[in-house]
């Protein structure tokens, strides 16, 4: 099974060919957004990764610049792995990344690169100073699990940076400090650690307690909370906690002391090794993340490409302070073209209707559902309170429910042998309080073989009792379904490879498989124009 070339994305970032993984060092400089990414220049599998470089005016249309960091010095001779960008106090951007300096084992050290010419807004050339490496593992550390430096932050005359590690089975957020950005000394204790295995691609940043405005990493005050995100190497997902940071003791404590086990996620789908950066032009914090393929490595090699990035998302702290909220950056809306709307349409139990009059293989769909009563909601079994995914596997899109499942069939073939289902299903706990489950069920997405089609799910912390409404937005892009429930409180991106529902053969429906009427108060679907993805500058 080799995917059809029509399944390449139209507006989700990917280079012209070959393998990509983590976004690296996103930054804004002199009017340009810079995105670097782990890239294999020789093929569509994960080997020999280094940093490729694209630039953009809006984070949606991209120009390809080529390679930014290749193995060239002893401390990165065998690999240029992930890292982050920091804007120094005088405005100079620097990149700190992991270098592999041995052939026999992936021995990891941290290196720095600085722009060759600061007046070039495109930052085309990077120089690796001869004082590299700047951080090496100490004896007793796991030298093959010591990587992915974070963006540094500056408080009271000192820089701090995090390096992820593993000690025993504990994930470690090692803190290093410096006054000159050259000489770094490890703080005695890690910023935080927990029994979660290797912590890849750590991200640590402040968020305002109220409002959507983003903060730069050095904006430290009593009115901010901090977010610590780790990418779990074994579980393959990104989770975060929200907490407080004390820069004197160099420690971070999650507000939810069990947060390392509850594991709030940016995204409950295929979303990994993400990273945020502060966008000074928009005064917002923006999240970028990698979504890998769901087919096999031989299929990737045959099709010649693997990996895409999610649409950049603006993120902020929910007013309740217990989770983040995410929304696709508004620039993606420039791509909206022809649209179709449906208003006040009732969908009876067991019914569905097609949204006609536009192509939906590359689309943006926003819908608000109105639920008259939660009386018929199924009872919620507390045994699933930490396992939305299991609940959704058991109660898939085709299992009849009480309130729901209702939602969208996207990338559906004319006869519905293929469809990806994005839906809500509402339960009621022992106190009569609604519990909202959001799922993406790709089990029917393709008749193709050898595809990984896990059902993805998360709970949605939204107030449905008083509003009687819940919203859903799905960005559909050939082989991507990226969904935002309840205004971005729960997000799920998945990769699917229809064999029939491709191009003009892809349809969009609204369905209700519950026991009570659901009203579509408003649905608007837009065809999306392709973004410029790999233009030259
Ligand atoms: C995460 C990761 C990083 C590493 C990079 C190598 O996907 O494993 O920890 O630096 O990819 O490509």
């Amino acid at each position: 099974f080799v995917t059809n070339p029509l399944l390449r994305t139209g507006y989700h970032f990917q280079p012209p060919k070959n393998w990509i993984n983590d976004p690296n060092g996103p930054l804004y400089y002199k009017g340009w957004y810079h995105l670097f990414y782990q890239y294999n220049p020789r093929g569509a599998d994960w080997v020999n990764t280094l940093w490729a470089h694209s630039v953009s005016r809006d984070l949606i249309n991209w120009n390809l610049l080529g390679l930014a960091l290749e193995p060239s010095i002893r401390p990165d001779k065998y690999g240029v792995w992930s890292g982050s960008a920091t804007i120094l106090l005088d405005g100079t951007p620097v990149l700190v990344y992991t270098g592999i300096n041995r052939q026999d084992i992936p021995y990891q050290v941290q290196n720095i690169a600085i722009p060759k010419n600061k007046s070039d807004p495109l930052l085309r050339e990077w120089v690796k100073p001869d004082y590299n490496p700047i951080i090496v593992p100490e004896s007793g550390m796991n030298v093959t699990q010591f990587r992915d430096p974070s963006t540094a932050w500056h408080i009271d005359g000192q820089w701090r940076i995090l390096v992820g590690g593993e000690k025993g089975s504990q994930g470690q957020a090692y803190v290093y400090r410096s006054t000159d950005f050259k000489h770094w000394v490890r703080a005695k204790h890690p910023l935080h650690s927990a029994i979660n295995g290797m912590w890849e691609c750590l991200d640590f940043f402040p968020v305002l307690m109220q409002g959507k405005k983003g903060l730069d990493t050095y904006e430290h005050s009593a009115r901010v909370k901090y977010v610590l995100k780790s990418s779990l190497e074994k579980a393959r997902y990104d989770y975060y906690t929200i907490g407080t940071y004390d820069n004197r003791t160099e420690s971070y404590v999650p507000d939810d002391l069990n947060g390392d086990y509850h594991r709030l996620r940016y995204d409950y789908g295929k979303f990994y090794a993400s990273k945020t950066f502060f966008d000074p032009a928009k005064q917002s914090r923006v999240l970028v993340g990698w979504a890998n393929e769901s087919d096999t490595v031989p299929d990737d090699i045959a099709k010649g490409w693997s990996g895409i990035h999610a649409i950049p998302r603006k993120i902020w702290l929910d007013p309740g302070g217990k989770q983040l909220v995410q929304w696709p950056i508004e620039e993606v809306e420039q791509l909206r073209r022809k649209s179709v709307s449906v208003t006040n349409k009732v969908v009876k139990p067991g019914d569905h209707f097609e949204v006609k009059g536009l192509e939906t293989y590359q689309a943006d769909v926003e819908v608000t559902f109105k639920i008259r009563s939660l009386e018929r909601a199924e009872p919620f079994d507390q045994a699933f309170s930490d396992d939305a995914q299991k609940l959704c596997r058991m109660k898939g899109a085709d299992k009849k429910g009480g309130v729901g499942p209702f939602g969208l069939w996207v990338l559906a073939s004319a006869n519905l042998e293929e469809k990806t289902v994005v839906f809500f299903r509402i339960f009621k706990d022992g106190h009569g309080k609604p519990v909202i489950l959001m799922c993406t069920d790709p089990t029917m997405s393709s008749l193709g073989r050898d595809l990984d089609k896990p059902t993805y799910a998360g709970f949605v912390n939204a107030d449905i009792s008083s509003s009687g409404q819940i919203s859903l937005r799905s960005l559909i892009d050939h082989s991507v379904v990226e969904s935002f429930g309840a205004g971005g409180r729960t997000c799920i991106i998945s990769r699917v490879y229809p064999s029939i529902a491709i191009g003009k053969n892809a349809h969009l429906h609204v369905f209700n498989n519950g026991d009570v009427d659901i009203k579509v108060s408003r649905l608007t679907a837009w065809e999306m124009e392709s973004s410029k993805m790999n233009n030259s500058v």
Side-chain angles (χ1 to χ4, degrees):
F1 176 73
V2 172
T3 54
N4 188 306
L6 286 175
L7 293 175
R8 268 184 74 84
T9 55
Y11 64 100
H12 281 76
F13 177 79
Q14 60 179 148
K17 58 178 185 173
N18 296 336
W19 167 274
I20 67 164
N21 55 298
D22 315 357
N24 293 148
L27 69 97
Y28 180 85
Y29 188 65
K30 294 188 192 286
W32 290 89
Y33 295 97
H34 293 254
L35 175 68
F36 306 87
Y37 40 95
Q38 286 287 287
Y39 178 68
N40 172 9
R42 279 174 272 180
D45 52 348
W46 180 76
V47 280
N48 309 315
T49 53
L50 43 73
W51 286 36
H53 187 187
S54 294
V55 291
S56 171
R57 288 286 192 183
D58 56 11
L59 287 167
I60 296 293
N61 294 289
W62 294 94
N63 302 284
L64 180 64
L65 288 184
L67 305 181
L69 300 177
E70 299 177 65
S72 65
I73 54 174
R74 241 184 62 86
D76 69 17
K77 188 158 178 217
Y78 300 99
V80 176
W81 285 14
S82 287
S84 306
T86 300
I87 310 287
L88 299 183
L89 302 179
D90 69 355
T92 308
V94 298
L95 305 176
V96 182
Y97 66 95
T98 298
I100 306 297
N101 74 355
R102 268 170 70 165
Q103 193 168 22
D104 54 343
I105 54 161
Y107 190 103
Q108 293 157 17
V109 299
Q110 319 312 324
N111 299 313
I112 185 171
I114 55 181
K116 185 166 185 189
N117 173 8
K118 280 199 280 182
S119 62
D120 173 16
L122 299 182
L123 299 169
R124 267 179 258 240
E125 286 181 87
W126 293 85
V127 181
K128 299 170 187 169
D130 55 13
Y131 53 80
N132 274 312
I134 54 167
I135 297 173
V136 298
E138 294 152 54
S139 73
M141 278 187 176
N142 186 341
V143 298
T144 63
Q145 297 285 51
F146 182 67
R147 60 181 174 273
D148 308 338
S150 71
T151 294
W153 66 100
H154 192 266
I155 302 172
D156 295 342
Q158 269 199 322
W159 288 102
R160 285 95 169 149
I161 205 165
L162 296 181
V163 180
E166 183 176 21
K167 192 172 182 187
S169 53
Q170 296 248 4
Q172 305 285 323
Y174 295 116
V175 189
Y176 287 81
R177 283 186 293 209
S178 172
T179 46
D180 58 6
F181 224 88
K182 279 187 194 165
H183 304 95
W184 294 83
V185 176
R186 186 170 62 82
K188 191 152 170 243
H189 300 290
L191 183 85
H192 189 57
S193 70
I195 309 174
N196 277 335
M198 173 63 191
W199 278 356
E200 297 188 317
C201 302
L202 288 172
D203 195 15
F204 185 58
F205 54 90
V207 283
L208 276 177
M209 290 203 230
Q210 292 297 330
K212 299 184 179 178
K213 186 179 162 311
L215 296 174
D216 208 338
T217 37
Y218 60 79
E219 295 186 77
H220 184 66
S221 85
R223 288 179 301 110
V224 307
K225 283 274 170 196
Y226 276 81
V227 176
L228 178 64
K229 186 279 296 185
S230 355
S231 301
L232 295 177
E233 187 188 30
K234 287 195 192 73
R236 306 304 293 174
Y237 63 76
D238 288 4
Y239 88 98
Y240 67 89
T241 52
I242 298 162
T244 46
Y245 163 61
D246 183 338
N247 68 298
R248 281 158 306 129
T249 56
E250 229 54 84
S251 64
Y252 164 81
V253 182
D255 291 348
D256 171 1
L257 293 174
N258 288 316
D260 289 298
Y261 307 98
H262 292 153
R263 296 181 190 170
L264 278 171
R265 289 166 59 170
Y266 286 142
D267 194 296
Y268 291 84
K270 230 166 197 153
F271 187 85
Y272 194 65
S274 66
K275 193 177 289 303
T276 62
F277 73 104
F278 176 65
D279 173 357
K282 292 270 162 131
Q283 294 283 304
S284 59
R285 186 155 284 274
V286 177
L287 171 70
V288 285
W290 165 48
N292 69 335
E293 302 302 309
S294 298
D295 56 2
T296 63
V297 174
D299 279 339
D300 286 349
I301 291 171
K303 73 187 204 264
W305 58 274
S306 177
I308 62 140
H309 286 175
I311 295 298
R313 303 173 182 175
K314 174 172 169 161
I315 69 171
W316 64 94
L317 187 65
D318 179 63
K322 293 203 160 47
Q323 69 162 94
L324 296 167
V325 187
Q326 308 161 61
W327 198 243
I329 53 160
E330 63 188 17
E331 287 76 5
V332 74
E333 294 167 26
Q334 314 156 36
L335 302 175
R336 288 174 169 176
R337 291 293 173 269
K338 183 178 175 185
S339 72
V340 164
S341 288
V342 176
T343 45
N344 290 326
K345 193 173 166 83
V346 173
V347 197
K348 296 252 166 244
D351 273 3
H352 62 95
F353 71 87
E354 183 173 356
V355 179
K356 289 193 180 141
L358 80 170
E359 305 294 349
T360 59
Y361 58 91
Q362 204 171 292
D364 184 353
V365 186
E366 288 202 65
V367 52
T368 305
F369 298 101
K370 186 138 191 114
I371 298 120
R372 205 166 302 143
S373 146
L374 295 171
E375 217 164 287
R376 302 294 281 272
E378 299 159 87
F380 180 68
D381 180 349
Q382 287 296 340
F384 294 104
S385 53
D386 269 330
D387 204 344
Q389 198 163 352
K390 189 161 168 204
L391 182 57
C392 203
R393 259 197 312 271
M394 282 177 49
K395 290 185 177 275
D398 290 330
K399 293 253 165 57
K400 254 196 129 16
V403 182
F406 60 86
L408 303 174
W409 294 340
V410 307
L411 298 173
S413 57
N415 297 324
L416 299 171
E417 335 56 340
E418 290 187 338
K419 61 182 193 290
T420 297
V421 192
V422 187
F423 66 96
F424 297 112
R425 187 173 195 128
I426 300 166
F427 299 85
K428 239 177 351 193
D429 72 9
H431 310 283
K433 203 172 154 261
V435 178
I436 309 170
L437 180 69
M438 173 176 164
C439 309
T440 295
D441 180 350
T443 49
M444 302 258 303
S445 59
S446 177
L447 299 179
R449 282 171 297 114
D450 299 331
L451 299 171
D452 179 30
K453 296 189 281 192
T455 298
Y456 292 119
F459 292 108
V460 189
N461 185 4
D463 174 22
I464 197 170
S465 314
S466 52
S467 69
Q469 299 206 136
I470 187 155
S471 70
L472 175 66
R473 178 171 182 195
S474 284
L475 298 169
I476 304 161
D477 193 2
H478 303 254
S479 58
V480 184
V481 180
E482 183 174 9
S483 304
F484 300 81
R489 310 175 79 83
T490 301
C491 310
I492 303 178
I493 184 169
S494 61
R495 304 296 313 279
V496 291
Y497 307 88
S499 66
I500 319 169
I502 293 175
K504 291 184 185 315
N505 299 323
H507 301 262
L508 169 70
H509 297 253
V510 176
F511 80 101
N512 175 13
N513 207 10
D515 207 17
V516 292
D517 290 2
I518 297 294
K519 186 150 98 186
V520 173
S521 13
R522 185 175 186 86
L523 176 149
T524 305
W526 291 265
E527 287 182 1
M528 295 292 269
E529 178 162 297
S530 296
S531 61
K532 299 186 187 79
M533 219 173 288
N534 293 294
N535 283 24
S536 44
V537 263

